[in-house]
Amino acid sequence: MKIAVYSPNWVGDAAQALPFIHELKSQNPEAKIIIVCKDWVESVFLHNPCIDDIVSLSANDVKGVINTISTGISLRKKKIDYFYTLTDSFRSSVIMWLSNAIYRVGYNTQKRAKLLTVSVPFPSTRLHRTNKYLNLIGKEKTQFGQKYIYLKKSEIDWAESLMRKRNINSPIAILPFSVADSRTFPKDKVKEWLSRSPDQYVVFGSKGDISSAKKIIEQNKGVSVHSFCGDFSLRQSIALISLCRYAIATDSGLGHISSILGVPTISFFGAGVSDITKPIGANSILLNK
């Protein structure tokens, strides 16, 4: 049996979908699990023993009607038996329908019920996002202590080597940026936290965060602060974060990654809805500020 899962599109949401994938494999140990995801979240799923195949889609693959149809039809060669969508989008249900999957399962949102063979009523109560996904297979959890992100030894070795070359030892990760400005740490607050600290810090972010990271470094002269913003891929950043002593994070994809890696993570939620999207790692502390 082949079971496909259409992944959420954001890094944090994809990370919070990992318990669903593990539970799906637990319920169907002989099945081949296929992840269909956007290419920018593929790193979340790599080397996971519960996943047998990954179909990585570019932004262009789902841009417009023609490309969406082509993508759905291209999945027919996978001969999918069950296809779950973890997004609430209409587009994902169209792709599932065009894939000729025998059973297509998802929530009855976006007027897509006719494209699904199993249209699940949207939960009437507020569920944490991970439990919203798990609800599709009749499962809910309150503890998420197991391992969900897997790194190869070669990836860890590379990260350790890079840290040594930059004379960084057991740093604290600063994950201050988010796609929403309202969730990004104020620079003055970071300066307050790091003031006169003897520890080493590494700021993680994207290419778009490079200038903001430089300002954080400039505001914290005398403190050992390094920026990895824009220098590494998401997968490389995951390996580097795994070596950090702990992390201070905003409500962001990297904050969820850090938590799921088991790195002790202090997560600050301001504009986010913490009861729905709080990190699921066992070593996480949530502060609503």
Side-chain angles (χ1 to χ4, degrees), residues 10-81:
W10 296 102
V11 171
D13 292 345
Q16 293 197 327
L18 289 168
F20 171 89
I21 294 163
H22 281 237
E23 180 61 30
L24 190 64
K25 186 67 172 180
S26 177
Q27 292 183 8
N28 304 275
E30 302 303 319
K32 180 178 181 180
I33 305 297
I34 304 167
I35 302 299
V36 180
C37 65
K38 300 297 174 53
D39 53 12
W40 55 83
V41 302
E42 180 183 11
S43 293
V44 174
F45 304 112
L46 289 176
H47 311 311
N48 191 312
C50 294
I51 297 170
D52 300 284
D53 189 13
I54 299 175
V55 178
S56 182
L57 306 176
S58 68
N60 194 56
D61 287 333
V62 291
K63 183 178 181 181
V65 174
I66 300 300
N67 287 348
T68 298
I69 291 173
S70 177
T71 294
I73 292 174
S74 72
L75 290 173
R76 292 178 182 177
K77 62 180 178 288
K78 298 293 183 181
K79 300 186 183 301
I80 298 166
D81 296 294

